[in-house]
Amino acid sequence: MTNDILIEKTVEIIAARMTNATSIPDEKSGKNVAAFMQEIYNKLVDLNKNED
């Protein structure tokens, strides 16, 4: 998968997760979401490498 597709998949996963979340939109929760998003992206990159 290309980087663009990996980013799209990451956003889809985060959007689905946030739909069911009850977090307050503030700086702390934003940082937590960003960290979670980075971890999801990193995992997708790793999985993508294994498929090659």
Side-chain angles (χ1 to χ4, degrees):
M1 283 187 262
T2 65
N3 192 51
D4 289 342
I5 292 172
L6 291 173
I7 292 171
E8 286 177 28
K9 296 296 182 189
T10 301
V11 170
E12 289 173 9
I13 292 167
I14 297 300
R17 172 63 179 104
M18 294 307 296
T19 299
N20 297 318
T22 58
S23 63
I24 299 168
D26 61 8
E27 183 178 356
K28 183 179 178 182
S29 65
K31 287 180 180 182
N32 289 338
V33 170
F36 182 56
M37 189 171 195
Q38 185 65 53
E39 290 301 317
I40 297 295
Y41 174 79
N42 291 345
K43 186 61 176 181
L44 290 176
V45 168
D46 287 344
L47 292 171
N48 191 51
K49 286 179 185 175
N50 290 336
E51 289 184 4
D52 290 340

